[in-house]
Amino acid sequence: MNAEQTDRLNDIYNLILNPATRDWERQQLVVLKSAVENGANFKAELARLEASLRPLAVRNNLTPDLTDFYQRITGNTVATFDLTRHYAVDGPNEERAIFAGGCFWCMVEPFDTRPGIIAVISGYTGGHTKNPTYEQVVGQYTGHVEAVEIIFDQRIVKYVDLVSLFWQITDPTDDQGQMDDRGNHYRPVIFVRNAQQRQIATASKAALAASGKYKKPIVTAIEPAQKFWPAENFHQEFYKKNRQRYKRLEHTRQQYLALQHLRSKIRVRLQKFKQKF
């Protein structure tokens, strides 16, 4: 048995034990495992497995970890996202911010591409379930929301700057989701880690409400930070690994926000005009 075959079998064993693997997916994996243990040709069985998974794979309907596995067996390189920074102790000039604003696929790039950002990690937080899976969170069984944890250098970028950016890329008047992302797990939240962050976020929210930009109330929640659970590898840096799919999602989101921001500008200008007369 060569090293690649050993690695793939280890992947299969881990996926069988993975609670996030769907029953049908697990059945296909068990068939391969049993066949190989009974002397069947591994390559032939792997080809059979790939064929059985293909209909769901082409529709992006496999669970995240199985999607990574499918990409590996079909020759696509799947880099494992380095979570070292999430677990490491922050340096003297480092701080963390946690924001939820709809699907975390679209929340990473706006922060990740800013100067002073050390890492942006997709994950789940705010709920009651330990080690939540994507399937559980989107099923709204956990109380968690999809969120991003941002580790940044305070010498280059300030927390208040990140809060300001957060308002720009979310709809603060919608507490039932964001744009096309509906459900409690997509509600917008600023998770504050200390009193200073709470003061900054609260003041920023109040200033936004007083600005007159929005006709509806500002309903984004400000809540104490809870344990942040990193999401599966498939979701990390989605905008880099799945560029075309991300562009389609982001285009729809940006169209909605652009229209909302235009209405906000018109509303503010009308208010100023009325004040003059």
Side-chain angles (χ1 to χ4, degrees), residues 49-220:
L49 176 64
E50 187 277 325
S52 67
L53 297 177
R54 192 183 309 149
L56 291 182
V58 297
R59 297 199 301 272
N60 297 303
N61 201 25
L62 294 172
T63 48
D65 289 335
L66 201 64
T67 296
D68 282 347
F69 172 76
Y70 183 83
Q71 291 177 341
R72 281 194 290 271
I73 66 175
T74 53
N76 295 322
T77 302
V78 181
T80 300
F81 185 76
D82 184 5
L83 288 171
T84 302
R85 288 300 295 113
H86 168 72
Y87 296 106
V89 176
D90 292 341
N93 297 305
E94 295 175 1
E95 189 177 350
R96 300 189 187 213
I98 300 176
F99 299 118
C103 178
F104 47 24
W105 290 351
C106 294
M107 286 290 289
V108 176
E109 185 179 25
F111 294 103
D112 200 32
T113 52
R114 292 296 178 103
I117 302 300
I118 298 168
V120 182
I121 301 160
S122 297
Y124 317 112
T125 192
H128 50 75
T129 302
K130 295 181 179 180
N131 299 303
T133 67
Y134 181 74
E135 295 288 302
Q136 291 173 327
V137 174
V138 298
Q140 301 186 57
Y141 309 128
T142 66
H144 289 299
V145 293
E146 292 188 16
V148 290
E149 178 186 64
I150 303 159
I151 306 173
F152 60 99
D153 188 331
Q154 300 178 75
R155 296 169 299 182
I156 302 173
V157 61
K158 303 300 182 184
Y159 181 73
V160 67
D161 301 323
L162 300 182
V163 173
S164 296
L165 176 57
F166 172 77
W167 296 128
Q168 296 172 33
I169 62 175
T170 60
D171 179 359
T173 68
D174 185 359
D175 60 0
Q176 300 301 308
Q178 289 288 285
M179 296 71 168
D180 291 338
D181 304 326
R182 311 314 301 164
N184 191 58
H185 59 301
Y186 288 134
R187 65 189 179 93
V189 186
I190 300 175
F191 290 97
V192 292
R193 294 169 53 82
N194 51 50
Q196 183 182 33
Q197 286 193 355
R198 176 174 290 279
Q199 187 277 325
I200 291 172
T202 302
S204 182
K205 179 178 177 179
L208 185 65
S211 69
K213 291 181 178 180
Y214 297 95
K215 185 177 181 179
K216 297 179 181 179
I218 305 302
V219 294
T220 297

Side-chain angles (χ1 to χ4, degrees), residues 229-244:
W229 302 93
E232 296 87 338
N233 183 69
F234 174 78
H235 299 297
Q236 304 298 340
E237 293 186 327
F238 186 87
Y239 79 97
K240 292 181 179 179
K241 296 187 293 187
N242 297 274
R243 196 64 188 171
Q244 294 304 314

